[in-house]
Amino acid sequence: NGFNSFHFSLSGGEPTFQPRYIDWIKYLFNKGYYVSSHSNGSNKPEVYEELVHYTDLNISVHFEFYKYERLLKVLDRITQEKVKSGNRGVGHLEVKLMFRPGDRKELLLFERQLKQIPNFVNYCTWSVVPLVGPYKYTPKESFFGEKENDLIEKFYIDKDKKLFGDRN
């Protein structure tokens, strides 16, 4: 049928905490739809181990909210599930490192830890995404009407800008 050309991109809040989320993803997968799930990785590792067979996973790492060791455990479990099943197509894992000005040290530390997960660099991808906006900035600064590129120039040094985009 012509409906299979539709794609689903599900985000939140945190979509994986919705009741019967996995059942819905399996239903869409079995109907032939492409599904991309966007998560912060805060659910139990076994949830993602199952989901990675039916949906691409996009996990955004927000350094101001994440639990470092717990998230690394989740990403390790997803990676090892992909290796175990030989899963390189459906069920791709993309980790987005959400980079605010001043988080460079933490970002680079977390990236080093990602690369140490066995097989992560062979089965998964990651990227650095600059975040611009009022969080952590002084209230006197205005963000309305400014273009994203202007904000990037204003808040990120050249050394930071070299980190943006795909990292592998």
Side-chain angles (χ1 to χ4, degrees):
N1 72 40
F3 289 101
N4 290 11
S5 63
F6 285 100
H7 299 276
F8 292 86
S9 180
L10 306 168
S11 60
E14 177 52 41
T16 65
F17 283 111
Q18 292 300 314
R20 301 190 67 208
Y21 186 77
I22 291 175
D23 293 337
W24 190 49
I25 296 302
K26 286 180 181 178
Y27 171 81
L28 292 171
F29 175 82
N30 289 326
K31 291 288 187 183
Y33 296 110
Y34 167 81
V35 181
S36 176
S37 294
H38 298 257
S39 172
N40 61 20
S42 62
N43 212 325
K44 296 175 187 171
E46 52 270 19
V47 169
Y48 299 105
E49 283 177 316
E50 186 172 359
L51 277 174
V52 76
H53 294 283
Y54 305 100
T55 179
D56 280 348
L57 291 172
N58 293 278
I59 297 186
S60 297
V61 179
H62 291 267
F63 295 106
E64 62 271 29
F65 302 117
Y66 82 131
K67 296 191 181 346
Y68 179 86
E69 288 183 19
R70 187 178 190 291
L71 184 55
L72 283 171
K73 181 180 178 181
V74 165
L75 297 173
D76 178 54
R77 295 269 298 267
I78 296 167
T79 302
Q80 302 325 310
E81 183 64 22
K82 288 174 64 53
V83 171
K84 185 174 85 176
S85 67
N87 185 348
R88 289 182 179 261
V90 169
H92 178 73
L93 172 60
E94 164 82 17
V95 178
K96 296 180 186 310
L97 304 174
M98 310 308 281
F99 181 29
R100 291 195 182 275
D103 287 344
R104 178 186 182 73
K105 185 177 176 183
E106 191 165 6
L107 179 142
L108 292 175
L109 173 65
F110 192 80
E111 182 181 49
R112 279 194 302 277
Q113 295 298 315
L114 278 180
K115 291 180 190 178
Q116 290 179 12
I117 294 172
N119 294 301
F120 180 85
V121 297
N122 298 321
Y123 282 79
C124 308
T125 58
W126 71 101
S127 60
V128 174
V129 179
L131 287 179
V132 291
Y135 182 78
K136 286 190 178 181
Y137 304 125
T138 64
K140 295 177 186 174
E141 295 170 307
S142 170
F143 295 90
F144 301 101
E146 291 192 59
K147 293 184 175 142
E148 186 173 307
N149 286 343
D150 294 339
L151 291 171
I152 288 171
E153 289 298 319
K154 184 175 181 179
F155 290 105
Y156 293 94
I157 61 174
D158 288 341
K159 196 173 177 182
D160 291 340
K161 292 177 208 165
K162 291 179 182 175
L163 299 173
F164 298 165
D166 293 340
R167 299 281 290 159
N168 53 327

